Amino acid sequence: MKKANTTTPTQHEVAMGGLAGICSGYLFKKVSKYAAATAVVGYLVIQGASQAGYIKINWRKVNEQIEDLKEDLTDEISEIVVDEDTLCLEDEGKVMATARRAYDAIKQNAATSGSFTAGFVLGILFA
């Protein structure tokens, strides 16, 4: 006689979310070490080439672009208003629409999302 399946879909979701989280966290920690080392080496190579005269940086243009970015960021921040429930932009736009879709997806898949997050942290801790 065949034994009935005693696990529920929620248990499967939790198990799969946790397993995926552990794998993702482990890989994230391993890959991030190499990515950080590559970034540092790249920075040192560019600085060395700049000091040796192979690369000339137009600092005036860099500073102008940074100032433009600061102004744009200030404008974006000034558009944020505090709502009772959440921070939102005056005109919802792409940012809030994306945030709301992500929130709805997480809310609908709470078991998987929670177990993935816990697994991700465990994967990082034990890598």
Side-chain angles (χ1 to χ4, degrees), residues 4 11 46-48 51-52 56 59 97 115 123:
Q11 290 171 329
I46 289 173
Q47 286 297 323
Q51 292 294 323
K56 181 165 174 39
W59 287 109
S115 62

Side-chain angles (χ1 to χ4, degrees), residues 40-86:
V40 169
V41 169
Y43 174 76
L44 293 175
V45 167
I46 289 173
Q47 286 297 323
S50 175
Q51 292 294 323
Y54 292 110
I55 298 174
K56 181 165 174 39
I57 299 172
N58 186 349
W59 287 109
R60 185 177 51 80
K61 188 173 182 178
V62 170
N63 287 331
E64 288 173 2
Q65 287 185 343
I66 289 174
E67 289 300 321
D68 290 343
L69 288 173
K70 283 179 11 183
E71 288 175 13
D72 292 344
L73 184 60
T74 303
D75 293 341
E76 288 289 325
I77 290 172
S78 66
E79 290 179 3
I80 295 176
V81 293
V82 176
D83 188 13
E84 282 183 13
D85 300 327
T86 160

Side-chain angles (χ1 to χ4, degrees), residues 8 15 26 31-33 56 64 74 81 85 92 104 115-116:
T8 63
Y26 181 83
V31 170
S32 64
K33 289 178 185 178
K56 181 165 174 39
E64 288 173 2
T74 303
V81 293
D85 300 327
E92 187 169 59
D104 290 341
S115 62
F116 177 85

